[in-house]
Amino acid sequence: MSTAIKQQHLIEPHGGRLVDRTGPRPDGVEQLEQVALTSRELSDLDMLASGALSPLEGFMARHDYESVVDDMRLANGLPWSLPVCLAVDREPDGDRVALTGAEGTPVAVLDVEGAYEYDKQREAERCFRTTDDAHPGVKRLYDQKPLYLAGHVTVFERAEPAFPELALDPAETRAEFAGRGWKRVVGFQTRNPIHRAHEYLTKGALETVDGLLIHPLVGDTKSDDVPAATRVECYRVLVENYYPADRVLVSAFPAAMRYAGPREAIWHAICRKNYGCSHFIVGRDHAGVGDYYGTYDAQLIFDEFEPHELGIEPMFFEHAFFCRVCGSMATPKTCPHGGDDHVFLSGTKVRELLSEGKLPPAEFSRPEVAEVLIRAYRS
Ligand SMILES: [Zn+2]
């Protein structure tokens, strides 16, 4: 059976078709007006190129933007929870511009559909549920240029992946899933090292499906998050030692964090649908920051859509811990015992132990993972 036929068993991309916005370098790029992208916009551009943001083919036009901000839908009604926009100072003169990457060299062209003003406070209030500029996503929004430039993109130079061995586009993860005979695949978004609690969630989810995609976000994060290189090493030793190789794929998710909590949970799920996941793990306070969002807001927001509209099925999880009485990992859903019986360490306590070179309890973290973190803290 060909891969294409086998792929029919996988979930369809969002909107029905995997977008490919890569293409050859057009003539005369050097003569075009240049627009420099921020690192967050470059992550979005690369995800537009690969189809990770299907059905988007470029940076959003006003009708889609307004509809997304107001109703979490594209203008055609398809669910979409966060703006994917390119901020500029002024409307370009020509009908095509060159988009430049980190080195200042052109990596793509954008066919200009127009530029429009947007209301930063309104976008913050609707998308981040706060207008507080202490929120990292809101601050980034407030610092942006004043107009959004809309248009389809054609990317002729893809971004250099931070982790080449983990770089798989949606078409490639889909081919991998199909090759392994997986139909039902659960995606796990993470921007932290995986300790026992999240290992338990991913394995609980995997018990009910064919395969698990561990899909760490490797785009921009806050400076106090654990660096991606350290996390990637943690995932490697964890999966090598504690997961069956034929049931798990680790690959990098090139997105930047927005810290938009509930809306970002929907957005993360839709992107993973494009990568071929039929299910998506949503824990407590998914994509949250500080105390801007309620513990379950990122789960409750899925109720605002009919299940068939999203296509991908969210799997909601509670906070997990090791319970000494149960003698196993558990959650408040499955364990009747009190907090004193649970192995609990605050983030501060864990950092304190690791920076002193001490292993946290094995009920909290696998020693192989903790050792990677200890080495990172010491260097
Ligand atoms: Zn218990």
Side-chain angles (χ1 to χ4, degrees):
M1 207 192 299
S2 80
T3 302
I5 293 169
K6 281 201 258 174
Q7 284 210 29
Q8 289 174 2
H9 297 303
L10 291 173
I11 192 168
E12 276 198 344
H14 199 51
R17 186 180 65 86
L18 200 59
V19 167
D20 177 0
R21 296 306 302 179
T22 60
R25 182 187 180 100
D27 292 333
V29 168
E30 301 70 26
Q31 279 77 55
L32 298 173
E33 182 174 336
Q34 297 198 345
V35 173
L37 272 58
T38 64
S39 64
R40 200 267 309 163
E41 290 161 349
L42 283 167
S43 325
D44 286 354
L45 179 70
D46 198 60
M47 291 170 69
L48 288 166
S50 72
L53 301 182
S54 299
L56 302 190
E57 303 199 66
F59 290 102
M60 282 179 177
R62 171 177 254 156
H63 58 294
D64 278 331
Y65 169 77
E66 298 289 351
S67 174
V68 164
V69 170
D70 282 342
D71 298 328
M72 292 199 289
R73 287 168 192 283
L74 297 172
N76 66 7
L78 196 68
W80 194 274
S81 54
L82 288 171
V84 175
C85 294
L86 171 56
V88 294
D89 280 321
R90 47 175 284 278
E91 179 151 12
D93 299 321
D95 53 11
R96 178 173 260 196
V97 295
L99 307 180
T100 64
E103 315 294 316
T105 54
V107 295
V109 292
L110 177 142
D111 291 304
V112 176
E113 242 175 83
Y116 54 96
E117 291 179 348
Y118 63 103
D119 182 336
K120 292 181 177 181
Q121 299 261 343
R122 179 167 155 268
E123 183 179 325
E125 179 62 48
R126 300 286 305 169
C127 297
F128 295 99
R129 300 188 178 186
T130 174
T131 53
D132 181 1
D133 66 2
H135 182 294
V138 172
K139 173 161 193 335
R140 194 260 307 145
L141 170 62
Y142 287 177
D143 289 345
Q144 277 182 176
K145 293 168 178 172
L147 299 176
Y148 280 149
L149 178 62
H152 288 194
V153 295
T154 306
V155 178
F156 48 83
E157 187 153 330
R158 291 288 303 278
E160 204 63 52
F163 303 95
E165 73 284 11
L166 298 183
L168 292 175
D169 284 341
E172 295 169 317
T173 52
R174 285 174 168 273
E176 185 70 30
F177 298 163
R180 295 179 180 209
W182 297 353
K183 297 173 192 166
R184 291 152 50 87
V185 184
V186 63
F188 179 59
Q189 146 73 30
T190 177
R191 59 185 160 98
N192 289 301
I194 300 179
H195 296 300
R196 295 292 300 273
H198 286 133
E199 178 185 334
Y200 177 72
L201 306 192
T202 57
K203 288 183 171 175
L206 177 55
E207 292 290 358
T208 74
V209 296
D210 303 319
L212 165 68
L213 174 64
I214 296 180
H215 214 205
L217 178 142
V218 298
D220 290 356
T221 55
K222 292 186 282 95
S223 54
D224 57 344
D225 283 349
V226 177
T230 303
R231 289 190 283 119
V232 163
E233 181 62 11
C234 290
Y235 306 137
R236 194 184 62 74
V237 296
L238 179 70
V239 169
E240 254 177 34
N241 287 289
Y242 298 99
Y243 286 73
D246 61 346
R247 290 286 176 192
V248 179
L249 181 65
V250 182
S251 178
F253 181 54
M257 273 308 293
R258 285 152 159 86
Y259 301 99
R263 278 196 183 223
E264 196 160 9
I266 298 284
W267 194 76
H268 278 163
I270 290 173
C271 294
R272 270 40 177 254
K273 178 185 175 186
N274 287 326
Y275 282 90
C277 296
S278 55
H279 293 70
F280 183 65
I281 293 171
V282 184
R284 303 200 331 173
D285 199 24
H286 184 106
V289 63
D291 49 11
Y292 291 100
Y293 309 109
T295 304
Y296 297 103
D297 285 358
Q299 300 182 350
L300 293 170
I301 194 171
F302 282 82
D303 292 341
E304 297 183 34
F305 299 93
E306 298 294 330
H308 70 271
E309 293 187 298
L310 289 173
I312 188 165
E313 192 176 321
M315 299 176 93
F316 301 133
F317 281 92
E318 275 284 351
H319 172 63
F321 44 76
F322 186 89
C323 172
R324 294 188 189 93
V325 181
C326 291
S328 66
M329 295 299 296
T331 75
K333 256 182 174 170
T334 52
C335 161
H337 308 112
D340 289 350
D341 297 319
H342 301 160
V343 177
F344 173 80
L345 283 82
S346 69
T348 313
K349 179 70 189 166
V350 175
R351 280 191 293 276
E352 194 182 296
L353 285 172
L354 294 171
S355 55
E356 289 169 3
K358 293 181 186 151
L359 291 180
E363 293 85 359
F364 179 84
S365 187
R366 299 291 188 186
E368 294 86 348
V369 173
E371 278 158 14
V372 170
L373 291 169
I374 287 173
R375 280 201 300 278
Y377 271 100
R378 290 189 153 179
S379 60

